[in-house]
Amino acid sequence: MRHSVSLKIGPVGFRIGSDWRVPIAALKDLYRDYPAPDDGIADFNVRLFAARFWRRFIRPSVMIGGDYIIPDAAPLPLEMGLLAAEMGMNLQMALGQRRYLLLHASAVVRDGKALLMSGVSGAGKSTLAALLMARGWRLMGDEFALIDPMSGLVYGFPRLISLKNAAIGLMRSTLPQGRFGPLMKATPKGNIRHLVPDAQAIAAMETPARPALILFPTFGHAPAERAVDEAEAFVRLTQASTNFVGLGQAGFDTLTRLVREVPARAIDYPDTESALRLVEDLWSATA
Amino acid sequence: MAGPQYLAEPARRIKSVRLGGITALFHRPSARTHLVGSPVPEILDALQETAMDANALLTFLQDRYEVADADPASLAARLAELEAAGLVRVA
């Protein structure tokens, strides 16, 4: 393709090609501190392309392609090209990842131990991970946590943090020196702005950690906390994994080991201050 | 009159892990995961070596596990579910 960039996020290498310069320029800027894939060979390819030749120029709209695709996915306008690239990378991970058990969860590390936070879209796992990063935790990722079937360790995937709607202003005020991508308004998920993970997150992005606590946060309720037993954690995390079934017994063994070894809690929170207090208290008590 | 004789999948075909009060089963031939509670693990265990019909199985479970209120209809329903899942078969 005319424009391309190769980069590595955590243990996974990507090559992103595009018919347009702008999304690649944005990726090169925001991922400038990330390494290239090992030996220059990407694990996954993403292609941003025009469905018809003239769509490169007239009301340009970006189709997302790659090694793994969703048929009939709707294109995005070129102003959302960065979002398309991120969606393309997420798609490769969700559909193609076989090396690790992939959990839809954010992950942060303190003292070498990992906290996993899994929840439905809007539960606040990206925002909480970003806020914990601002408090000195090492960010492993806001979207995917990768569990190694052999060791049970968590590997990070610290892509750009995807902030949505109110979280954008919150993180702008929390991290005024942070590096932010362009504001993309009225995307399918509302307003989106990406935040570059801090230097600590990028420098240690290939360093795994032993999982020590699993949280299932829910936003919009009075502060509350309850234990989640092994069976419930197992069911919730099978639902949060895109490749549990595909990995066969390796996925089963990895997930049963995780929920038996790592305590899990569900937390409700009405605002981020309450959430951070709950997280810090639970971490002190259990991890 | 004796009904159909049931036999469980051999233990080597099922990976079983206790998760609190629930048991997670990974059925290797189908690559499917099942979450089951009592009396399913006991049924699969009872039908490992010896094929039994539902009445014999009910008696066995009552004797072995001291099930006071064992219900033939419930047991028949469990056996039908397990057969549909491929975890037991008619011998």
Side-chain angles (χ1 to χ4, degrees), chain A:
Chain A
M1 303 193 80
R2 295 181 66 196
H3 308 276
S4 70
V5 62
S6 293
L7 53 92
K8 191 175 181 190
I9 304 175
V12 185
F14 293 93
R15 181 181 183 280
I16 303 106
S18 170
D19 281 343
W20 303 270
R21 187 190 64 80
V22 172
I24 298 301
L27 288 171
K28 283 181 175 174
D29 176 36
L30 294 169
Y31 281 104
R32 69 188 180 208
D33 296 324
Y34 286 63
D38 295 338
D39 301 322
I41 300 169
D43 298 287
F44 298 113
N45 293 282
V46 175
R47 294 190 310 123
L48 307 178
F49 64 98
R52 300 281 183 275
F53 177 74
W54 61 84
R55 281 280 179 237
R56 287 188 191 178
F57 313 104
I58 303 167
R59 280 192 288 123
S61 53
V62 183
M63 300 289 291
I64 303 171
D67 299 327
Y68 298 88
I69 61 164
I70 294 179
D72 306 324
L76 290 171
L78 184 57
E79 306 84 75
M80 297 179 194
L82 177 61
L83 178 63
E86 290 288 318
M87 288 171 69
M89 288 190 280
N90 288 347
L91 196 60
Q92 305 315 303
M93 291 292 285
L95 299 180
Q97 180 55 248
R98 296 287 182 272
R99 170 72 181 80
Y100 303 93
L101 178 70
L102 187 144
L103 298 178
H104 192 216
S106 62
V108 289
V109 174
R110 179 182 273 176
D111 301 328
K113 295 182 290 187
L115 163 65
L116 305 179
M117 293 178 283
S118 178
V120 296
S121 186
K125 58 187 185 307
S126 285
T127 310
L128 291 178
L131 287 167
L132 290 167
M133 178 185 81
R135 290 180 166 215
W137 295 61
R138 170 162 75 88
L139 179 88
M140 294 192 98
D142 77 320
E143 180 77 2
F144 294 133
L146 313 174
I147 313 296
D148 178 24
M150 296 296 287
S151 65
L153 297 176
V154 187
Y155 282 76
F157 187 71
R159 58 162 210 172
L160 302 179
I161 302 166
S162 177
L163 301 171
K164 300 178 192 77
N165 303 316
I168 298 170
L170 175 66
M171 291 315 300
R172 287 281 289 172
S173 58
T174 304
L175 288 174
Q177 305 302 317
R179 292 182 59 221
F180 292 83
L183 175 64
M184 291 174 281
K185 290 184 176 176
T187 78
K189 291 192 170 185
N191 293 345
I192 288 183
R193 191 162 192 183
H194 292 99
L195 168 63
V196 180
D198 65 15
Q200 176 186 213
I202 298 170
M205 71 179 189
E206 292 191 62
T207 305
R210 178 68 59 192
L213 179 62
I214 302 167
L215 289 181
F216 297 101
T218 305
F219 171 70
H221 302 280
E225 176 262 315
R226 69 174 173 86
V228 173
D229 66 23
E230 294 172 359
E232 182 184 345
F234 180 80
V235 171
R236 282 176 176 249
L237 292 176
T238 56
Q239 292 167 344
S241 174
T242 57
N243 66 356
F244 171 77
V245 172
L247 289 185
Q249 189 174 335
F252 178 88
D253 289 343
T254 305
L255 194 54
T256 51
R257 175 181 176 181
L258 180 72
V259 300
R260 293 183 81 186
E261 291 183 350
V262 183
R265 299 281 187 278
I267 59 170
D268 294 345
Y269 66 97
D271 53 62
T272 50
E273 274 307 310
S274 313
L276 291 171
R277 223 171 11 251
L278 277 167
V279 169
E280 296 276 6
D281 288 351
L282 282 169
W283 183 260
S284 301
T286 56

Side-chain angles (χ1 to χ4, degrees), chain B residues 1-70:
Chain B
M1 193 179 91
Q5 300 282 307
Y6 292 98
L7 201 56
E9 276 283 81
R12 68 176 185 282
R13 294 189 180 182
I14 298 175
K15 176 76 180 282
S16 173
V17 177
R18 290 282 292 179
L19 299 176
I22 299 287
T23 300
L25 303 175
F26 182 77
H27 184 223
R28 292 187 172 104
S30 65
R32 288 179 66 185
T33 296
H34 305 274
L35 286 176
V36 298
S38 182
V40 168
E42 292 83 358
I43 292 172
L44 295 176
D45 190 47
L47 297 176
Q48 275 299 305
E49 303 291 337
T50 312
M52 293 184 222
D53 69 9
N55 288 331
L57 178 61
L58 189 65
T59 304
F60 179 88
L61 292 173
Q62 285 173 321
D63 292 347
R64 170 73 68 89
Y65 301 104
E66 298 176 354
V67 180
D69 57 349

